[in-house]
Amino acid sequence: MQAFCIETKGAPARLCEIPQAPLGDNQVRITIKACGLNFADLLMQKGTYQDTPETPFTLGMEIAGIVAGTGNNVSNLKPGDRVAVFSGQGGLAESGVFDADRAILLPDTMSFEDAAAIQIAYGTSHIALEHRARLQPGETLLVTGAAGGVGLTAVEIGKLMGATVIAQARGQDKLTVAQNAGADHLIDAGEDLRARVRALGGADVVYDAVGGEVFKAAFRATNPEGRLLPIGFAGGDVPQIPANHLLVKNLSVIGVYLGGYLKFRPEIVRDSFSTLFHWHSEGRIKPHISQVLPLQDVATGLDLLRDRKSTGKVVIRINSPL
């Protein structure tokens, strides 16, 4: 079958032919129909992601498709079921074998493309804002990189949770995307972030997907007892946090890593995905997918992420045979 894989450490990912993996007793074989791209895929190519697998491996962290086979110990799924799987790897292929306890049944109303776009971006934001930061109605949420894959979902979920949302992004087109997702106030990346946020009353919760100088400015615009969520470092620099400033304003910096929960509290991820799928079926959330590309154009999709030319999610549609 075809897959977009990394064969040796340091080699570029490429489309190649690989054999089907054997099916274990507690696993399911999925005919993959769609796979979401993530910034972590770029880091895995460089070998700098915290969960980069040993080579050879296939990229692709979140998939949706149809169950083609089940292991001997799997009783809750059957061939023909439509499912989503937060796979961590192996998604950019025509087929894959995954642990059955990671598969979640899709609502009839959810497309494969939406299911592939919803898991990591929405799951990260939902767990970050509800489970970790305990965002409350009436609080002010600042989202940096607000038109990106995770930032846009934070805008949408923050608004659903009753917050006033300040969105920061680069350029009017991206700010308009954030506004359409529910942002109350818009700040261009070229403006003085600290001054603008403080003029709006400061931030109670900061959801930062950029890092670097943007995080520093947001840090200084956070209200006493505020909570800061360093989600990613798309700007390239991991910020160094001055502990003495945390003391002065009683601030909390809270780590969030969706994949980490699968290792010690997987029910947090399952419950979050169930909530998100329910919200989707009710029409309360709708993934913003800027590009849908075929498997042979994965490199183009990753370039869009690297060059920050996409908004929301880039999804790969895989026309796998059943």
Side-chain angles (χ1 to χ4, degrees):
M1 66 176 181
Q2 285 195 313
F4 196 78
C5 54
I6 297 177
E7 296 170 291
T8 58
K9 188 174 182 179
R14 67 180 187 90
L15 198 62
C16 55
E17 290 284 337
I18 64 171
Q20 293 266 3
L23 180 62
D25 288 342
N26 298 306
Q27 295 181 312
V28 290
R29 189 180 304 280
I30 307 294
T31 299
I32 300 172
K33 294 296 183 181
C35 179
L37 296 186
N38 292 276
F39 192 78
D41 292 311
L42 294 172
L43 299 180
M44 283 190 194
Q45 286 196 105
K46 296 191 297 184
T48 58
Y49 188 59
Q50 60 262 30
D51 271 348
T52 300
E54 293 295 323
T55 56
F57 70 93
T58 298
L59 289 172
M61 301 180 70
E62 53 185 337
I63 65 107
I66 300 171
V67 175
T70 60
N72 293 329
N73 296 336
V74 178
S75 59
N76 61 324
L77 296 168
K78 64 184 185 303
D81 283 344
R82 302 170 69 253
V83 295
V85 180
F86 176 24
S87 59
Q89 61 171 296
L92 289 169
E94 293 179 313
S95 177
V97 170
F98 308 101
D99 291 345
D101 60 4
R102 291 198 181 195
I104 300 177
L105 288 169
L106 296 183
D108 292 339
T109 56
M110 184 179 287
S111 69
F112 291 122
E113 289 80 10
D114 277 7
I118 209 170
Q119 297 170 66
I120 292 176
Y122 279 91
T124 295
S125 293
H126 182 240
I127 289 172
L129 296 176
E130 183 175 86
H131 179 69
R132 298 292 285 146
R134 307 291 184 186
L135 179 67
Q136 299 299 308
E139 288 190 312
T140 296
L141 168 67
L142 168 63
V143 181
T144 69
V150 291
L152 197 60
T153 64
V155 172
E156 195 173 358
I157 290 174
K159 196 63 182 175
L160 277 175
M161 293 177 67
T164 297
V165 180
I166 304 171
Q168 184 252 24
R170 185 171 299 280
Q172 188 56 51
D173 289 347
K174 291 186 175 183
L175 289 172
T176 298
V177 170
Q179 185 175 40
N180 291 339
D184 299 285
H185 304 285
L186 307 175
I187 301 176
D188 191 272
E191 298 181 73
D192 185 331
L193 180 64
R194 178 195 181 198
R196 285 291 315 279
V197 173
R198 291 186 66 164
L200 292 168
D204 301 303
V205 174
V206 173
Y207 183 104
D208 175 51
V210 179
E213 294 300 318
V214 170
F215 180 89
K216 293 178 184 178
F219 186 98
R220 297 173 71 189
T222 304
N223 292 328
E225 292 195 326
R227 290 89 75 203
L228 297 103
L229 300 155
I231 299 297
F233 315 108
D237 294 328
V238 177
Q240 302 303 302
I241 298 165
N244 58 323
H245 292 186
L246 294 177
L247 299 179
V248 170
K249 294 172 70 176
N250 291 289
L251 301 178
S252 299
V253 179
I254 304 170
V256 184
Y257 173 43
L258 181 67
Y261 277 112
L262 291 174
K263 299 176 182 178
F264 66 95
R265 290 196 65 188
E267 72 277 6
I268 296 291
V269 178
R270 288 196 298 269
D271 291 347
S272 176
F273 285 2
S274 294
T275 296
L276 294 169
F277 287 2
H278 180 65
W279 283 354
H280 183 278
S281 66
E282 291 183 331
R284 300 177 70 188
I285 60 173
K286 174 65 177 175
H288 176 86
I289 300 173
S290 59
Q291 284 91 10
V292 177
L293 303 170
L295 183 60
Q296 59 265 30
D297 289 344
V298 170
T300 299
L302 292 174
D303 285 343
L304 290 170
L305 296 187
R306 183 185 295 107
D307 299 335
R308 302 189 204 179
K309 293 182 178 178
S310 62
T311 56
K313 292 289 288 189
V314 177
V315 171
I316 302 302
R317 180 182 289 140
I318 302 171
N319 295 313
S320 306
L322 289 177

Coordinates of all heavy atoms in Angstrom, one line a residue, residues 140-226:
T140 N -11.6 36.8 30.4 CA -11.0 37.2 29.1 C -9.9 36.2 28.7 O -9.0 35.9 29.4 CB -10.5 38.6 29.2 OG1 -11.5 39.5 29.4 CG2 -9.8 39.0 27.9
L141 N -10.1 35.7 27.5 CA -9.1 34.7 26.9 C -8.4 35.4 25.8 O -9.0 35.9 24.8 CB -9.9 33.5 26.4 CG -9.1 32.5 25.5 CD1 -8.0 31.8 26.3 CD2 -10.1 31.5 24.9
L142 N -7.1 35.3 25.9 CA -6.2 35.8 24.8 C -5.7 34.6 24.0 O -5.1 33.7 24.6 CB -5.1 36.6 25.3 CG -3.9 36.9 24.3 CD1 -4.4 37.8 23.1 CD2 -2.7 37.6 25.0
V143 N -5.9 34.6 22.7 CA -5.4 33.5 21.8 C -4.4 34.1 20.8 O -4.8 34.9 20.0 CB -6.6 32.8 21.1 CG1 -6.0 31.6 20.2 CG2 -7.6 32.2 22.1
T144 N -3.2 33.6 20.9 CA -2.2 34.0 19.9 C -2.1 33.0 18.8 O -2.4 31.8 19.0 CB -0.8 34.2 20.5 OG1 -0.3 33.0 20.9 CG2 -0.9 35.1 21.7
G145 N -1.7 33.4 17.6 CA -1.8 32.5 16.4 C -3.2 32.0 16.2 O -3.5 30.9 15.9
A146 N -4.2 33.0 16.3 CA -5.6 32.6 16.4 C -6.2 32.1 15.2 O -7.3 31.6 15.2 CB -6.4 33.8 17.0
A147 N -5.5 32.1 14.0 CA -6.1 31.6 12.8 C -5.5 30.3 12.4 O -5.8 29.7 11.4 CB -5.9 32.6 11.7
G148 N -4.5 29.8 13.3 CA -3.9 28.5 13.0 C -4.7 27.3 13.4 O -5.8 27.4 13.9
G149 N -4.1 26.1 13.2 CA -4.9 24.9 13.4 C -5.4 24.8 14.8 O -6.6 24.4 15.0
V150 N -4.6 25.0 15.9 CA -5.1 25.0 17.2 C -5.7 26.3 17.7 O -6.7 26.3 18.5 CB -4.1 24.5 18.2 CG1 -3.7 23.0 18.0 CG2 -2.8 25.3 18.2
G151 N -5.1 27.4 17.3 CA -5.6 28.7 17.8 C -7.0 29.0 17.4 O -7.8 29.5 18.3
L152 N -7.4 28.6 16.2 CA -8.8 28.9 15.8 C -9.8 28.1 16.7 O -10.9 28.6 17.0 CB -8.9 28.5 14.3 CG -10.2 29.1 13.6 CD1 -10.2 30.6 13.6 CD2 -10.2 28.6 12.2
T153 N -9.4 26.9 17.0 CA -10.3 26.1 17.9 C -10.4 26.6 19.3 O -11.5 26.6 19.9 CB -9.9 24.6 17.9 OG1 -8.6 24.5 18.6 CG2 -9.8 24.0 16.6
A154 N -9.3 27.2 19.8 CA -9.4 27.9 21.1 C -10.3 29.1 21.1 O -11.1 29.3 22.0 CB -8.0 28.3 21.5
V155 N -10.3 29.8 20.0 CA -11.3 30.9 19.8 C -12.7 30.4 19.9 O -13.5 30.9 20.7 CB -11.1 31.7 18.5 CG1 -12.2 32.7 18.3 CG2 -9.7 32.4 18.5
E156 N -13.0 29.4 19.1 CA -14.3 28.8 19.1 C -14.8 28.2 20.4 O -15.9 28.5 20.9 CB -14.4 27.8 18.0 CG -15.7 27.3 17.5 CD -15.7 26.4 16.3 OE1 -14.6 26.1 15.8 OE2 -16.8 26.0 15.9
I157 N -13.9 27.4 21.0 CA -14.3 26.8 22.3 C -14.4 27.8 23.4 O -15.3 27.7 24.3 CB -13.3 25.6 22.6 CG1 -13.5 24.5 21.6 CG2 -13.5 25.1 24.0 CD1 -12.5 23.4 21.7
G158 N -13.4 28.8 23.4 CA -13.5 29.8 24.4 C -14.8 30.6 24.4 O -15.4 30.9 25.4
K159 N -15.2 30.9 23.2 CA -16.5 31.6 23.1 C -17.7 30.7 23.5 O -18.6 31.2 24.2 CB -16.7 32.0 21.6 CG -17.8 33.0 21.4 CD -17.4 34.3 22.1 CE -18.6 35.4 21.9 NZ -18.3 36.6 22.7
L160 N -17.6 29.4 23.2 CA -18.7 28.5 23.7 C -18.7 28.4 25.2 O -19.8 28.2 25.8 CB -18.4 27.1 23.1 CG -18.9 26.8 21.7 CD1 -18.5 25.4 21.3 CD2 -20.5 26.9 21.7
M161 N -17.6 28.6 25.8 CA -17.5 28.5 27.3 C -17.8 29.8 28.0 O -17.8 29.9 29.2 CB -16.1 28.0 27.7 CG -15.8 26.6 27.3 SD -14.1 26.0 27.7 CE -14.2 26.0 29.5
G162 N -18.2 30.8 27.2 CA -18.6 32.1 27.8 C -17.6 33.1 28.0 O -17.9 34.1 28.7
A163 N -16.4 33.0 27.5 CA -15.3 33.9 27.6 C -15.4 35.1 26.6 O -16.0 34.9 25.6 CB -14.0 33.3 27.5
T164 N -14.8 36.2 27.0 CA -14.6 37.2 26.0 C -13.2 36.9 25.4 O -12.2 36.7 26.1 CB -14.5 38.6 26.7 OG1 -15.7 38.9 27.3 CG2 -14.1 39.7 25.7
V165 N -13.2 36.8 24.0 CA -12.0 36.3 23.3 C -11.3 37.4 22.6 O -11.9 38.1 21.7 CB -12.4 35.2 22.4 CG1 -11.2 34.6 21.6 CG2 -13.1 34.0 23.1
I166 N -10.0 37.5 22.9 CA -9.1 38.4 22.1 C -8.3 37.5 21.2 O -7.6 36.6 21.7 CB -8.2 39.2 23.0 CG1 -9.0 40.0 24.1 CG2 -7.3 40.2 22.2 CD1 -8.1 40.7 25.1
A167 N -8.3 37.8 19.9 CA -7.6 37.0 18.9 C -6.4 37.8 18.3 O -6.6 38.9 17.9 CB -8.5 36.5 17.8
Q168 N -5.2 37.2 18.3 CA -4.1 37.8 17.7 C -3.7 37.0 16.5 O -3.5 35.7 16.7 CB -2.9 38.0 18.7 CG -1.7 38.7 18.1 CD -0.5 37.8 17.9 OE1 -0.7 36.6 17.7 NE2 0.6 38.3 17.8
A169 N -3.5 37.6 15.3 CA -3.1 36.8 14.1 C -2.4 37.8 13.2 O -2.5 39.0 13.4 CB -4.2 36.1 13.5
R170 N -1.8 37.3 12.1 CA -1.1 38.2 11.2 C -1.9 38.4 10.0 O -2.2 37.5 9.2 CB 0.3 37.5 10.8 CG 1.1 38.4 9.9 CD 2.5 37.8 9.7 NE 3.2 37.7 11.0 CZ 3.8 38.7 11.6 NH1 3.9 39.9 11.1 NH2 4.5 38.5 12.8
G171 N -2.3 39.7 9.8 CA -3.0 40.1 8.6 C -4.5 40.1 8.7 O -5.1 39.3 9.5
Q172 N -5.2 40.9 7.9 CA -6.6 41.0 8.0 C -7.3 39.8 7.6 O -8.4 39.4 8.2 CB -7.1 42.2 7.1 CG -8.6 42.5 7.3 CD -8.9 42.8 8.8 OE1 -8.3 43.6 9.4 NE2 -9.9 42.1 9.3
D173 N -6.8 39.0 6.6 CA -7.5 37.8 6.2 C -7.6 36.8 7.4 O -8.6 36.2 7.6 CB -6.8 37.2 5.0 CG -7.0 38.0 3.7 OD1 -7.8 38.9 3.7 OD2 -6.2 37.7 2.8
K174 N -6.5 36.6 8.1 CA -6.5 35.7 9.2 C -7.3 36.2 10.4 O -8.0 35.5 11.0 CB -5.1 35.4 9.6 CG -4.3 34.6 8.6 CD -2.9 34.2 9.1 CE -2.2 33.3 8.1 NZ -0.9 32.8 8.6
L175 N -7.3 37.5 10.6 CA -8.1 38.1 11.7 C -9.6 37.9 11.4 O -10.4 37.7 12.3 CB -7.8 39.6 11.8 CG -6.4 39.9 12.5 CD1 -6.1 41.4 12.4 CD2 -6.3 39.4 13.9
T176 N -10.0 38.0 10.1 CA -11.3 37.8 9.7 C -11.8 36.4 10.0 O -12.9 36.1 10.5 CB -11.6 38.2 8.2 OG1 -11.2 39.5 8.0 CG2 -13.0 37.9 7.8
V177 N -10.9 35.4 9.7 CA -11.2 34.0 10.0 C -11.4 33.9 11.5 O -12.4 33.2 12.0 CB -10.0 33.1 9.6 CG1 -10.2 31.7 10.1 CG2 -10.0 33.1 8.0
A178 N -10.6 34.5 12.4 CA -10.8 34.4 13.8 C -12.1 35.1 14.3 O -12.8 34.6 15.2 CB -9.6 35.0 14.5
Q179 N -12.4 36.2 13.6 CA -13.6 36.9 14.0 C -14.8 36.0 13.6 O -15.8 36.0 14.4 CB -13.7 38.2 13.2 CG -14.9 39.1 13.6 CD -14.8 40.4 12.9 OE1 -14.5 40.5 11.7 NE2 -15.1 41.5 13.6
N180 N -14.8 35.4 12.5 CA -15.9 34.5 12.1 C -16.0 33.3 13.1 O -17.1 32.7 13.2 CB -15.7 34.0 10.7 CG -15.9 35.1 9.7 OD1 -16.5 36.1 9.9 ND2 -15.3 34.9 8.5
A181 N -14.9 33.0 13.8 CA -15.0 31.9 14.7 C -15.5 32.3 16.1 O -15.7 31.5 17.0 CB -13.6 31.2 14.9
G182 N -15.7 33.6 16.3 CA -16.3 34.1 17.5 C -15.5 35.2 18.3 O -15.9 35.6 19.3
A183 N -14.3 35.5 17.8 CA -13.5 36.5 18.5 C -14.2 37.8 18.7 O -14.8 38.4 17.8 CB -12.1 36.7 17.8
D184 N -14.0 38.4 19.9 CA -14.7 39.7 20.2 C -13.8 40.8 19.9 O -14.2 41.9 19.5 CB -15.0 39.7 21.7 CG -16.0 38.6 22.1 OD1 -17.2 38.8 21.8 OD2 -15.5 37.6 22.7
H185 N -12.4 40.6 20.0 CA -11.5 41.7 19.7 C -10.3 41.1 18.9 O -9.9 40.0 19.1 CB -10.9 42.3 21.0 CG -11.9 42.8 22.0 ND1 -12.6 44.0 21.8 CD2 -12.4 42.2 23.1 CE1 -13.5 44.1 22.8 NE2 -13.4 43.1 23.6
L186 N -9.8 41.9 18.0 CA -8.8 41.5 17.0 C -7.5 42.3 17.2 O -7.6 43.5 17.2 CB -9.3 41.5 15.6 CG -10.6 40.8 15.3 CD1 -11.1 41.1 13.9 CD2 -10.5 39.3 15.6
I187 N -6.4 41.7 17.2 CA -5.1 42.4 17.3 C -4.2 41.8 16.2 O -3.9 40.6 16.1 CB -4.4 42.2 18.6 CG1 -5.3 42.7 19.8 CG2 -3.1 42.9 18.7 CD1 -4.8 42.5 21.2
D188 N -3.7 42.7 15.3 CA -2.8 42.2 14.3 C -1.4 41.9 14.9 O -1.0 42.6 15.9 CB -2.6 43.3 13.2 CG -1.9 42.8 12.0 OD1 -0.6 42.9 12.0 OD2 -2.5 42.3 11.1
A189 N -0.7 41.0 14.3 CA 0.6 40.6 14.9 C 1.6 41.7 14.8 O 2.6 41.7 15.6 CB 1.2 39.4 14.1
G190 N 1.4 42.7 14.0 CA 2.3 43.9 13.9 C 2.0 44.9 15.0 O 2.8 45.9 15.2
E191 N 1.0 44.8 15.8 CA 0.6 45.8 16.8 C 1.3 45.4 18.1 O 1.8 44.3 18.3 CB -0.9 45.8 17.0 CG -1.7 46.3 15.8 CD -3.2 46.3 16.1 OE1 -3.6 47.3 16.8 OE2 -3.9 45.4 15.6
D192 N 1.3 46.4 19.1 CA 1.9 46.2 20.4 C 0.9 45.3 21.2 O -0.1 45.8 21.7 CB 2.1 47.5 21.1 CG 2.8 47.4 22.4 OD1 2.6 46.4 23.1 OD2 3.5 48.4 22.8
L193 N 1.2 44.0 21.3 CA 0.2 43.1 21.9 C 0.0 43.5 23.4 O -1.2 43.5 23.8 CB 0.8 41.7 21.8 CG -0.1 40.6 22.4 CD1 -1.4 40.5 21.7 CD2 0.6 39.2 22.4
R194 N 1.0 43.7 24.1 CA 0.9 44.0 25.5 C 0.0 45.2 25.7 O -1.0 45.2 26.5 CB 2.2 44.3 26.2 CG 2.1 44.6 27.6 CD 3.5 45.2 28.1 NE 3.4 45.5 29.5 CZ 4.3 46.3 30.1 NH1 5.2 46.9 29.5 NH2 4.2 46.6 31.4
A195 N 0.2 46.3 25.0 CA -0.5 47.5 25.2 C -2.0 47.3 24.8 O -2.9 47.8 25.5 CB 0.1 48.6 24.3
R196 N -2.2 46.6 23.7 CA -3.6 46.4 23.2 C -4.4 45.6 24.2 O -5.6 45.9 24.5 CB -3.6 45.8 21.8 CG -3.3 46.7 20.7 CD -4.4 47.8 20.4 NE -5.7 47.2 20.4 CZ -6.3 46.6 19.4 NH1 -5.6 46.4 18.3 NH2 -7.5 46.1 19.5
V197 N -3.8 44.5 24.7 CA -4.5 43.6 25.6 C -4.8 44.3 27.0 O -5.9 44.2 27.5 CB -3.7 42.3 25.9 CG1 -4.4 41.5 27.0 CG2 -3.6 41.5 24.6
R198 N -3.8 45.1 27.4 CA -4.0 45.8 28.7 C -5.1 46.9 28.6 O -5.8 47.1 29.5 CB -2.7 46.4 29.2 CG -1.7 45.4 29.6 CD -0.4 46.0 30.2 NE -0.7 46.7 31.4 CZ 0.3 47.0 32.3 NH1 1.6 46.7 32.1 NH2 0.0 47.6 33.4
A199 N -5.2 47.5 27.4 CA -6.2 48.5 27.1 C -7.6 47.8 27.1 O -8.6 48.5 27.4 CB -6.0 49.2 25.8
L200 N -7.6 46.5 26.9 CA -8.9 45.8 26.9 C -9.2 45.2 28.2 O -10.1 44.4 28.4 CB -8.9 44.7 25.8 CG -8.9 45.2 24.4 CD1 -8.6 44.1 23.4 CD2 -10.3 45.8 24.0
G201 N -8.4 45.5 29.2 CA -8.6 45.0 30.6 C -7.7 43.8 31.0 O -7.9 43.3 32.1
G202 N -6.8 43.4 30.1 CA -5.9 42.3 30.5 C -6.5 41.0 30.2 O -7.7 40.9 29.9
A203 N -5.7 39.9 30.2 CA -6.1 38.6 30.0 C -6.1 37.8 31.2 O -5.2 37.8 32.0 CB -5.2 37.9 28.9
D204 N -7.2 37.0 31.4 CA -7.3 36.0 32.5 C -6.6 34.7 32.2 O -6.1 34.0 33.0 CB -8.7 35.8 33.0 CG -9.4 37.1 33.4 OD1 -8.8 37.8 34.3 OD2 -10.4 37.5 32.8
V205 N -6.8 34.3 30.9 CA -6.2 33.1 30.4 C -5.5 33.4 29.1 O -6.1 34.1 28.3 CB -7.2 31.9 30.2 CG1 -6.6 30.7 29.6 CG2 -7.9 31.6 31.6
V206 N -4.3 32.9 28.9 CA -3.6 33.1 27.7 C -3.3 31.7 27.0 O -2.8 30.8 27.7 CB -2.2 33.8 27.9 CG1 -1.4 33.8 26.6 CG2 -2.4 35.2 28.4
Y207 N -3.8 31.6 25.8 CA -3.6 30.4 25.0 C -2.6 30.7 23.9 O -2.9 31.4 22.9 CB -4.9 29.9 24.4 CG -4.9 28.6 23.7 CD1 -5.4 27.4 24.2 CD2 -4.4 28.6 22.4 CE1 -5.4 26.3 23.5 CE2 -4.5 27.4 21.6 CZ -5.0 26.2 22.2 OH -5.0 25.1 21.5
D208 N -1.3 30.3 24.1 CA -0.3 30.8 23.2 C 0.3 29.7 22.3 O 0.9 28.8 22.9 CB 0.9 31.5 24.0 CG 2.0 31.9 23.1 OD1 1.8 32.5 22.1 OD2 3.2 31.5 23.4
A209 N 0.1 29.8 21.0 CA 0.6 28.8 20.1 C 1.9 29.3 19.4 O 2.3 28.7 18.4 CB -0.5 28.5 19.1
V210 N 2.4 30.5 19.7 CA 3.5 31.2 19.0 C 4.8 31.1 19.7 O 5.8 30.8 19.1 CB 3.1 32.6 18.6 CG1 4.2 33.3 17.9 CG2 1.8 32.7 17.8
G211 N 4.8 31.4 21.0 CA 6.0 31.4 21.8 C 6.9 32.7 21.5 O 6.4 33.7 21.0
G212 N 8.1 32.7 21.9 CA 9.0 33.8 21.7 C 8.6 35.1 22.3 O 8.1 35.2 23.4
E213 N 8.8 36.2 21.5 CA 8.4 37.5 22.0 C 6.9 37.7 22.2 O 6.5 38.5 23.0 CB 8.9 38.6 21.0 CG 10.4 38.6 20.9 CD 11.1 39.0 22.2 OE1 10.5 39.9 22.9 OE2 12.1 38.4 22.6
V214 N 6.1 36.9 21.4 CA 4.7 37.0 21.6 C 4.3 36.5 23.0 O 3.4 37.1 23.6 CB 4.0 36.2 20.5 CG1 2.5 36.0 20.8 CG2 4.2 36.8 19.1
F215 N 4.8 35.4 23.4 CA 4.5 34.9 24.7 C 5.0 35.9 25.8 O 4.2 36.2 26.8 CB 5.3 33.6 25.0 CG 5.0 33.0 26.4 CD1 3.9 32.1 26.6 CD2 5.8 33.3 27.4 CE1 3.7 31.6 27.8 CE2 5.6 32.8 28.7 CZ 4.5 32.0 28.9
K216 N 6.1 36.5 25.6 CA 6.6 37.5 26.6 C 5.6 38.7 26.7 O 5.3 39.1 27.8 CB 8.0 38.0 26.2 CG 9.1 37.0 26.3 CD 10.4 37.5 25.9 CE 11.5 36.5 25.9 NZ 12.8 37.0 25.4
A217 N 5.1 39.1 25.6 CA 4.2 40.3 25.6 C 2.9 39.8 26.3 O 2.3 40.6 27.0 CB 3.9 40.8 24.2
A218 N 2.4 38.6 25.9 CA 1.1 38.1 26.5 C 1.3 37.9 28.0 O 0.4 38.3 28.8 CB 0.7 36.8 25.8
F219 N 2.5 37.4 28.4 CA 2.8 37.2 29.8 C 2.6 38.6 30.6 O 2.0 38.6 31.7 CB 4.2 36.7 30.0 CG 4.6 36.3 31.3 CD1 4.6 35.0 31.7 CD2 5.1 37.3 32.2 CE1 5.0 34.6 33.0 CE2 5.5 36.9 33.5 CZ 5.5 35.6 33.9
R220 N 3.1 39.6 30.0 CA 3.1 40.9 30.7 C 1.7 41.6 30.7 O 1.5 42.5 31.4 CB 4.1 41.8 30.1 CG 5.6 41.3 30.2 CD 6.5 42.2 29.4 NE 6.7 43.5 30.0 CZ 7.4 44.5 29.4 NH1 7.9 44.3 28.2 NH2 7.5 45.6 30.0
A221 N 0.8 41.0 29.9 CA -0.5 41.6 29.8 C -1.5 40.7 30.5 O -2.7 40.9 30.5 CB -1.0 41.7 28.3
T222 N -1.0 39.7 31.3 CA -1.9 38.8 32.0 C -2.3 39.4 33.4 O -1.5 39.9 34.1 CB -1.2 37.4 32.2 OG1 -0.8 36.9 30.9 CG2 -2.2 36.4 32.9
N223 N -3.6 39.2 33.7 CA -4.0 39.8 35.0 C -3.6 38.9 36.2 O -3.2 37.8 36.0 CB -5.6 39.8 35.0 CG -6.2 40.8 34.0 OD1 -5.6 41.8 33.8 ND2 -7.3 40.5 33.5
P224 N -3.5 39.5 37.4 CA -3.2 38.7 38.6 C -4.1 37.4 38.7 O -5.3 37.5 38.3 CB -3.5 39.7 39.7 CG -3.3 41.0 39.1 CD -3.8 40.9 37.7
E225 N -3.5 36.3 39.1 CA -4.1 35.0 39.1 C -4.4 34.5 37.7 O -5.2 33.6 37.6 CB -5.3 35.0 40.0 CG -5.0 35.2 41.5 CD -6.1 34.8 42.4 OE1 -7.3 35.0 42.1 OE2 -5.8 34.3 43.5
G226 N -3.8 35.0 36.7 CA -4.1 34.5 35.4 C -3.4 33.2 35.1 O -2.5 32.8 35.9

